[in-house]
């Protein structure tokens, strides 16, 4: 085997590696470009929504400007919903466990 054939094989392998790397970089770059374009569209939608005027009837005073009993009532209502959601989740878990216990019987 001649010594120059080894160099030709190495050059061909190097060129192939560079081409594969370039194709990979271009494909990943295009994928990133599409992702960035989608992100830009979403940001643009939110910016346009911020430019729309808000009706005064939709605004609610902030909690620290309201009487304490109103804020406490709102907190207790929200906490009651949290407890109800936890109870529903626990009941669903119990139902699944009951079903699993009797599955193989």
């Amino acid at each position: 085997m001649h010594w120059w054939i080894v160099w030709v094989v190495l050059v061909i392998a190097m060129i192939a590696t560079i081409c594969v790397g370039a194709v990979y970089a271009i494909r990943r770059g295009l994928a990133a470009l599409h992702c960035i374009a989608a992100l830009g569209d979403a940001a643009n939608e939110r910016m346009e929504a911020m430019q729309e005027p808000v009706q005064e009837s939709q605004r609610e005073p902030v909690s620290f400007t309201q009487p304490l009993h109103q804020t406490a009532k709102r907190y207790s209502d929200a906490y009651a919903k949290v407890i109800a959601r936890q109870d529903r989740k626990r009941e669903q878990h119990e139902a699944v466990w009951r079903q699993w216990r009797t599955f193989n019987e």
Side-chain angles (χ1 to χ4, degrees):
M1 184 175 201
H2 297 289
W3 63 269
W4 57 272
I5 295 177
V6 174
W7 287 106
V8 171
V9 170
L10 286 174
V11 168
I12 290 173
M14 182 188 69
I15 291 173
T17 304
I18 290 173
C19 290
V20 169
V23 168
Y24 177 78
I26 289 170
R27 289 185 66 200
R28 297 309 304 158
L30 290 175
L33 185 64
H34 290 299
C35 182
I36 290 172
L39 181 65
D41 290 341
N44 190 25
E45 289 176 9
R46 286 175 174 77
M47 291 298 237
E48 288 176 358
M50 286 177 20
Q51 298 299 326
E52 296 174 2
V54 178
Q55 297 176 0
E56 291 298 324
S57 62
Q58 291 179 349
R59 290 189 180 174
E60 184 176 326
V62 290
S63 63
F64 61 84
T65 62
Q66 295 178 353
L68 188 58
H69 65 85
Q70 288 179 353
T71 305
K73 178 165 177 25
R74 194 175 343 161
Y75 176 79
S76 64
D77 292 342
Y79 191 66
K81 289 179 184 177
V82 167
I83 291 174
R85 189 173 56 243
Q86 289 173 347
D87 287 342
R88 280 194 310 271
K89 186 168 72 169
R90 183 179 46 77
E91 290 170 2
Q92 289 172 350
H93 287 182
E94 288 176 358
V96 168
W97 276 103
R98 277 193 306 272
Q99 180 184 4
W100 286 352
R101 269 190 232 125
T102 61
F103 181 73
N104 287 328
E105 292 178 358

